[in-house]
Amino acid sequence: MFGRLNSPEEVFSYDLGAALTMERDTLAMLGRLEEAAQRPEVKQLLREHAAETRVQIEVVEQCFALLGQEVDDSPCPVTKALAAEAETKLKKADDSLADAVVLAGALQTEHHEQAVYENLVLHARARGAEQVAVLLESSLAQERGAGERVKALAERIARTGVATTPEGGMSTGAKAGLAAGVAAAVGAAAAVASKVGGHEESTAAHGVRTGATATDLPSTTGATGTTTGATGTTTGTTGTTTGTTGTTAGAEELNDDALEERIAESEHRSTGS
Ligand SMILES: [Fe+2]
């Protein structure tokens, strides 16, 4: 451990030692996050990156050897703070929401690690320590890859409502959101149908109820497309929505059964089973 840093080389070694602490902290954090994660795919991603992290620890140790120095560590308060933040949020959050907390913590950590390696690589290269630069660059590439995978999974989970259920399916909130979206689309179709009142079959009306007159649509009020369905009152898109939307939404008779079917299909897609 250095007292004062009196040369660029000492600053570099200090940062290299901090990277070693960073990776050791990250390895511990990944284990904790895996424990807290709910979805198997989240656990697997964290496990895979933990394996990469073990290699990254060895890489830093090799860099010290290449520089002819003893392996030394330096403090890394950032990773400790990130781990503490994730831990605090995990304690506060319901278990069903843990994956979003876990992935947020992982993403923040990956970005910090990338910055640490970017800095180390540029200084290693500048001082002519090419082998060290190449080794650290390989770790940087792994961190970028891990960050992308974490982000992609976080996005997928966010789009399906975040929360898990005890059965591992879509949460009630996600179902309500999806149902509201479908009901809104139904409202849009109905609104278009309402606007053409007097015509036997507009494009949208035909989609909603084959052969129905526009004014024959139940539970529909005027141009705002307000409709009541399985989820209660949902305000639909305004009546200016084009018939294309209405046609898409109304490709089948959108009664309660159809709504349930849509939800089931979405659940099937989100679980990938
Ligand atoms: Fe990492």
Side-chain angles (χ1 to χ4, degrees), residues 1-163:
M1 178 77 71
F2 292 93
R4 284 194 63 76
L5 304 172
N6 296 310
S7 68
E9 290 76 17
E10 286 182 357
V11 172
F12 181 86
S13 295
Y14 184 95
D15 287 343
L16 192 60
L20 183 58
T21 305
M22 170 186 82
E23 292 298 4
R24 288 171 175 164
D25 288 348
T26 300
L27 186 58
M29 182 181 181
L30 287 168
R32 170 65 188 120
L33 294 181
E34 184 193 337
E35 199 178 87
Q38 304 292 302
R39 291 170 174 82
E41 60 267 40
V42 178
K43 287 181 180 288
Q44 187 185 339
L45 196 161
L46 297 168
R47 239 187 339 263
E48 286 170 2
H49 192 51
E52 289 179 331
T53 302
R54 286 188 191 91
V55 175
Q56 289 163 1
I57 290 171
E58 290 174 13
V59 163
V60 175
E61 291 169 349
Q62 283 173 17
C63 289
F64 274 115
L66 284 167
L67 294 169
Q69 296 173 8
E70 298 254 320
V71 173
D72 196 5
D73 56 8
S74 310
C76 183
V78 178
T79 39
K80 287 180 174 58
L82 290 170
E85 185 191 29
E87 194 62 51
T88 299
K89 282 165 67 184
L90 282 170
K91 279 185 184 142
K92 284 178 177 287
D94 187 83
D95 282 352
S96 66
L97 304 171
D99 285 346
V101 176
V102 161
L103 292 171
L107 189 56
Q108 288 167 359
T109 304
E110 294 315 311
H111 277 281
H112 172 67
E113 290 179 321
Q114 287 168 38
V116 166
Y117 282 117
E118 282 169 6
N119 182 63
L120 286 170
V121 167
L122 74 89
H123 281 287
R125 191 146 282 143
R127 66 189 276 184
E130 187 57 28
Q131 279 182 292
V132 171
V134 168
L135 278 176
L136 294 172
E137 242 169 6
S138 69
S139 295
L140 173 58
Q142 283 182 331
E143 304 295 16
R144 284 179 176 153
E148 286 303 313
R149 291 195 298 278
V150 168
K151 186 179 165 192
L153 190 49
E155 279 177 338
R156 185 156 71 76
I157 285 171
R159 277 199 299 269
T160 54
V162 175

